[in-house]
Amino acid sequence: VGGPRCGASLHEQNKALRIELNANANCAWQIQRNTNQTIRLVFSHFKFAPSSSCETESIKIYDGPSTNSPLLGQVCNDTDAVPVLQSSSDSLTFIITTNSVAFTRNFFVFYYYFSPETRPEHCGGQLTGPNGTFTSPNYPAAYPEFTYCVWHIQTAKNSKIKLQFQDFFLELDKNCQFDFTAVYDGLTTNTGLIGRVCGLAQPKFESSSNVMTVVLFTDYANSYRGFSAQYTSVPLPGPVEPDTLLTCSSDSMKIVLSKSYLASLGYNETDLQLSDPSCSPVVTNSVIFSFPLASCGTTKKDDGQSITYTNIISLSPTGNIITRQKSVQIIAKCKMENNSTLEVIYVTKNNIIQNTTAVGGYNVSMSFYDSDSFSKPIHQSPYYVDLNQTLFAQVSLHSTDPNLLVFVDTCIASPQPDFRSLTYDLIRSGCNKDDTVVSYPPLEHYGRFKFNAFRFLQTSSSVYLQCDILICDSKNANSRCTEGCISRQKRAISSYMWKTNTVVGPIRLKRNLRSADNSESLAKADPEETPNPQQYSFYTLSFVVLISNIIIVVAVILKYHKHQAGYDYQKIPNS
């Protein structure tokens, strides 16, 4: 155990690091070794400054040889897990940053190289029966070194899981830094840590729902016999699932609670309040809280890959000095992730959590405007333009959160609305690919650019645009939205809060408009000028009579002329 105090370049097959840092540290450790194996990195103990946040103190782990590599994960003061991360290659980098608070931070980090295809027998798996047993590898013999096993337990709905270790013996340490078993309330190991245990014991754990995850981690020394565990499923008492509804949009958060559900918890609508007590609900058959995302005490957290809005409804009886009711909080989270929005609402009842999830998204639109003032949008569709005319496009984010930034990352054009055939790049990775494109600097909820109209050769006259839009936290000075044009190699490391795409079109040339108008005028007849069948009969009869009269007159004239000609040319007989 050891290593330089602030950062190092590590090349050993495995190593344990005990790190101690003070205020204003910014230290990077690089792990790299020329091998075909991958790295497993474990932060089995971390102690940040009290009340620190992810923005001021954190450990960031990058999947590669530098901080320019893709972000693999982040550890903060409120991380509710024992972080175990795995690289995709033979290198990893992690950097620890601390704030200005005078406090001694402590970390215990362990890594080792391994081949993912090799794993001990009886190491992890899926357990789905109503009850069952499982043991550590080699039990009751000593468990192997460098072991990482994960068991996922899932029983019937409307039940919870009770887990008991009949025999348990792992290496003893007061912080369980070396060998440990961790139990999570759910199917992931990223959050929901119920407890971590090591040494000689017979621990018991209980989940809040029908899913639980158990992790065994061991290092390179001091192996013991491990454990033998048994689990059973127990029906959930009271309300099986929270009778709640959470809806998230780019503008607001809406929480709906049924009165019957509140009554089952021992409360009514007068016992509820948001983080900001001045925001009161609307009470009908249900209790409804509806408020803008950036109001009513809602907090926003940026973890580098997503942005989460959180608000808490506290339930406490009013008008009493004391209470014997359990503490209840309803925690609502809107998590804006790549291409989707994860909405999470859960209820804490003396550390018992029940979950509900849904899906939503940011509201983004794109329109053309008549000038670079972007004050008058073009509503006509198709939008008829002249060849080489300057077109002004704006992407708009419809959100009440003022601390969001819109960035136009990529825009392509196509003659077809499905963009499956021919395409042409206008903007790619923030870089202008067409000579006429001019991108305007990001402005709050708007992304703007202009270009000159064109047409595709030997295809239809229509042009459609599809743009990839990134949404970032404007308070993050290093977000993707502020980087502008970047190369493909660097692009992988840039983070953004949310990504979507939007389509506008078609655009058509005005000559096609004139052609269309002429065709239409030829195809349409004025009803007042269109003769009906009776008029046709009258016109036909009149025409026949006229022709007959003309023929008669001509005949008479010809006959008269013929008669006069006989006298003019008669010969006089000889006398």
Side-chain angles (χ1 to χ4, degrees):
V1 176
R5 181 174 178 271
C6 182
S9 181
L10 308 171
H11 307 287
E12 294 88 344
Q13 179 71 23
N14 61 82
K15 192 174 183 65
L17 298 172
R18 195 186 306 276
I19 301 171
E20 190 174 286
L21 295 175
N22 294 315
N24 301 317
N26 187 28
C27 308
W29 284 262
Q30 181 199 59
I31 307 169
Q32 191 166 18
R33 184 181 177 89
N34 189 14
T35 177
N36 290 327
Q37 295 180 310
T38 58
I39 305 167
R40 180 165 287 134
L41 178 67
V42 183
F43 294 89
S44 58
H45 178 71
F46 50 91
K47 188 174 183 180
F48 293 92
S51 303
S52 65
S53 65
C54 288
E55 288 75 20
T56 60
E57 289 202 350
S58 68
I59 307 171
K60 290 185 178 180
I61 303 96
Y62 299 90
D63 191 12
S66 72
T67 55
N68 290 331
S69 304
L71 184 66
L72 190 60
Q74 186 175 25
V75 183
C76 308
N77 190 39
D78 61 354
T79 298
D80 188 21
V82 184
V84 180
L85 301 103
Q86 181 176 322
S87 69
S88 61
S89 64
D90 59 3
S91 61
L92 267 182
T93 302
F94 67 91
I95 183 169
I96 304 179
T97 305
T98 65
N99 60 25
S100 58
V101 176
F103 182 81
T104 301
R105 289 85 168 165
N106 293 287
F107 309 93
F108 189 84
V109 187
F110 179 71
Y111 78 86
Y112 62 89
Y113 281 86
F114 73 104
S115 299
E117 63 274 7
T118 61
R119 191 175 68 173
E121 292 185 13
H122 310 294
C123 178
Q126 304 284 336
L127 304 172
T128 56
N131 51 71
T133 60
F134 58 99
T135 65
S136 57
N138 299 343
Y139 178 85
Y143 48 77
E145 60 183 14
F146 305 122
T147 297
Y148 180 67
C149 306
V150 181
W151 291 268
H152 296 291
I153 306 172
Q154 186 164 10
T155 58
K157 290 184 177 180
N158 307 332
S159 67
K160 62 181 179 180
I161 300 168
K162 289 188 175 182
L163 176 67
Q164 180 172 359
F165 291 87
Q166 290 98 347
D167 187 21
F168 188 95
F169 191 11
L170 271 63
E171 182 177 1
L172 178 61
D173 174 73
K174 68 174 184 177
N175 293 321
C176 294
Q177 299 175 126
F178 309 124
D179 300 345
F180 62 84
T181 293
V183 180
Y184 294 88
D185 192 11
L187 284 178
T188 70
T189 59
N190 298 325
T191 188
L193 180 66
I194 301 175
R196 174 169 44 163
V197 64
C198 60
L200 185 61
Q202 286 187 318
K204 298 179 181 179
F205 298 95
E206 184 175 305
S207 70
S208 66
S209 67
N210 64 321
V211 289
M212 176 185 279
T213 300
V214 181
V215 171
L216 170 66
F217 176 83
T218 70
D219 64 6
Y220 60 91
N222 302 329
S223 293
Y224 298 90
R225 65 175 178 266
F227 63 76
S228 172
Q230 180 181 16
Y231 75 90
T232 57
S233 61
V234 180
L236 279 172
V240 174
E241 294 181 357
D243 191 2
T244 60
L245 174 67
L246 171 65
T247 305
C248 297
S249 71
S250 59
D251 291 309
S252 63
M253 182 185 298
K254 183 178 181 181
I255 308 168
V256 181
L257 308 172
S258 71
K259 290 183 178 179
S260 59
Y261 174 63
L262 295 176
S264 71
L265 297 174
Y267 295 95
N268 58 49
E269 61 271 17
T270 64
D271 302 328
L272 299 155
Q273 70 175 29
L274 279 174
S275 299
D276 181 355
S278 64
C279 295
S280 56
V282 174
V283 180
T284 56
N285 293 331
S286 301
V287 180
I288 303 171
F289 289 93
S290 184
F291 48 91
L293 279 181
S295 67
C296 293
T298 304
T299 60
K300 182 170 70 171
K301 179 181 178 182
D302 170 9
D303 64 6
Q305 295 297 318
S306 62
I307 187 166
T308 302
Y309 300 91
T310 303
N311 209 314
I312 300 174
I313 300 176
S314 300
L315 285 75
S316 57
T318 57
N320 295 329
I321 299 176
I322 67 168
T323 182
R324 291 186 172 87
Q325 291 177 267
K326 293 182 176 180
S327 172
V328 177
Q329 285 186 326
I330 298 173
I331 304 173
K333 291 189 176 185
C334 297
K335 188 173 185 180
M336 307 297 189
E337 291 185 323
N338 185 16
N339 290 331
S340 69
T341 303
L342 176 64
E343 302 166 354
V344 180
I345 182 170
Y346 57 87
V347 180
T348 66
K349 186 175 180 181
N350 283 9
N351 297 324
I352 297 176
I353 300 173
Q354 298 179 354
N355 299 291
T356 300
T357 60
V359 174
Y362 275 123
N363 184 8
V364 176
S365 63
M366 182 163 65
S367 301
F368 288 107
Y369 285 76
D370 64 348
S371 70
D372 59 3
S373 67
F374 294 95
S375 58
K376 294 182 180 180
I378 304 298
H379 296 296
Q380 71 185 68
S381 182
Y383 178 23
Y384 285 96
V385 300
D386 289 319
L387 194 64
N388 214 35
Q389 175 182 332
T390 302
L391 308 183
F392 301 91
Q394 174 176 285
V395 177
S396 303
L397 168 65
H398 309 283
S399 176
T400 56
D401 186 347
N403 297 316
L404 294 177
L405 202 61
V406 173
F407 179 70
V408 181
D409 180 74
T410 296
C411 271
I412 60 173
S414 175
Q416 300 297 330
D418 58 7
F419 294 86
R420 294 180 180 176
S421 56
L422 180 65
T423 61
Y424 175 71
D425 283 0
L426 290 173
I427 304 172
R428 175 69 61 178
S429 301
C431 304
N432 298 337
K433 296 299 183 181
D434 181 90
D435 293 338
T436 68
V437 171
V438 176
S439 297
Y440 295 86
L443 176 65
E444 297 177 346
H445 290 180
Y446 305 104
R448 296 167 172 173
F449 64 96
K450 66 179 180 179
F451 65 98
N452 290 0
F454 62 91
R455 66 180 181 87
F456 285 94
L457 298 175
Q458 300 177 350
T459 60
S460 68
S461 58
S462 298
V463 176
Y464 296 84
L465 293 188
Q466 177 178 275
C467 295
D468 288 342
I469 310 303
L470 307 184
I471 300 171
C472 310
D473 187 347
S474 61
K475 293 184 178 180
N476 183 359
N478 298 318
S479 72
R480 174 66 189 94
C481 296
T482 61
E483 291 181 320
C485 173
I486 57 176
S487 65
R488 181 178 298 272
Q489 290 77 10
K490 187 180 178 183
R491 186 169 187 259
I493 69 159
S494 300
S495 65
Y496 47 83
M497 300 306 98
W498 202 78
K499 180 179 179 179
T500 186
N501 62 58
T502 184
V503 176
V504 67
I507 309 166
R508 292 180 183 168
L509 297 181
K510 286 183 178 178
R511 66 177 185 179
N512 300 113
L513 173 62
R514 290 192 291 269
S515 299
D517 289 343
N518 290 338
S519 299
E520 186 176 8
S521 63
L522 290 174
K524 292 182 179 179
D526 188 344
E528 295 179 359
E529 298 176 1
T530 304
N532 58 33
Q534 292 179 347
Q535 288 175 318
Y536 274 121
S537 300
F538 174 78
Y539 292 154
T540 304
L541 179 61
S542 300
F543 181 75
V544 170
V545 171
L546 177 61
I547 294 300
S548 300
N549 290 335
I550 292 173
I551 293 173
I552 293 172
V553 171
V554 170
V556 171
I557 292 173
L558 290 175
K559 183 176 180 181
Y560 174 76
H561 277 286
K562 185 177 181 182
H563 179 72
Q564 292 293 330
Y567 288 101
D568 291 340
Y569 298 100
Q570 185 176 9
K571 293 182 179 181
I572 299 174
N574 295 325
S575 53

